[in-house]
Amino acid sequence: DLAQAPQEWQAWVDAMAASLMSGTGVRAVTYSLILLLIGGSVEWLFWTYAYGPLRALQATVTRSPREALRLGLRRLLLLCCGVLLFTGATIAASAGLAWPEGVHEAVVAVTLWLMVVRLSWAAVETVLTPGRSARRLVPVRPRQVPWLAATAVAVALLGSAARFLPDLVEQVG
């Protein structure tokens, strides 16, 4: 199997290129761009109103760990609401489009994968709070925070890719 991997990869790439150059491929790409526009617009509308409270949370000085936890949870709630609105709007809008066969499931899988990665970043940002040691919810040295945050997000990225990517490749391939 390992010896056949380069040939299988090239066959898969050629099939994807031929598929994307067809009318259904162009329609799928166009619909995907429309979905990004819809999801991004809904999230942008949310942040138009929620950015003020988020900035107020960021500007608040924390005096105790309990207050840091309370502010961190409020910030996490705002970040998660934005991500969930993007995901919900994208999936809801995708249901109304006439997708080529197998593409709708792939779009939903990619959207859910994006949601998991973004939610994991929101959680890491809340717990580790890079750049603001007074709000950090775990005792970590400031020099270790960037590496720890990158590692946590990479684990979430790879873990969620292990969940969504095999089904996606099978559907598309």
Side-chain angles (χ1 to χ4, degrees), residues 20 36 70 110 127 163:
L20 286 174
L36 283 175
R70 186 178 58 81
V110 168
V127 172
R163 166 61 184 94

Side-chain angles (χ1 to χ4, degrees), residues 147-167:
W147 292 104
L148 189 59
T151 303
V153 171
V155 166
L157 180 74
L158 294 174
S160 60
R163 166 61 184 94
F164 292 111
L165 198 57
D167 294 334

Side-chain angles (χ1 to χ4, degrees), residues 43 46-47 50 54 57-58 72-85 118-119 121-126:
E43 189 174 357
F46 170 75
W47 283 115
L54 180 66
L57 286 174
Q58 291 173 341
L73 290 176
R74 288 178 63 193
R75 185 168 194 263
L76 181 64
L77 178 67
L78 283 173
L79 294 173
C80 288
C81 284
V83 171
L84 293 176
L85 280 171
R118 290 182 66 196
L119 287 176
W121 173 248
V124 166
E125 197 174 54
T126 300

Side-chain angles (χ1 to χ4, degrees), residues 16-97:
M16 285 298 295
S19 176
L20 286 174
M21 296 308 286
S22 68
T24 57
V26 171
R27 186 173 71 190
V29 170
T30 304
Y31 285 172
S32 299
L33 292 174
I34 290 170
L35 289 181
L36 283 175
L37 182 67
I38 291 170
S41 297
V42 169
E43 189 174 357
W44 172 80
L45 184 63
F46 170 75
W47 283 115
T48 299
Y49 294 101
Y51 191 66
L54 180 66
R55 293 283 299 195
L57 286 174
Q58 291 173 341
T60 304
V61 177
T62 57
R63 291 173 178 73
S64 68
R66 176 177 275 181
E67 190 174 0
L69 176 65
R70 186 178 58 81
L71 292 173
L73 290 176
R74 288 178 63 193
R75 185 168 194 263
L76 181 64
L77 178 67
L78 283 173
L79 294 173
C80 288
C81 284
V83 171
L84 293 176
L85 280 171
F86 173 84
T87 304
T90 302
I91 292 176
S94 73
L97 298 173

Side-chain angles (χ1 to χ4, degrees), residues 135-161:
R135 294 193 179 185
R136 197 161 296 135
L137 300 179
V138 292
V140 178
R141 288 186 217 136
R143 287 187 19 213
Q144 294 175 333
V145 169
W147 292 104
L148 189 59
T151 303
V153 171
V155 166
L157 180 74
L158 294 174
S160 60

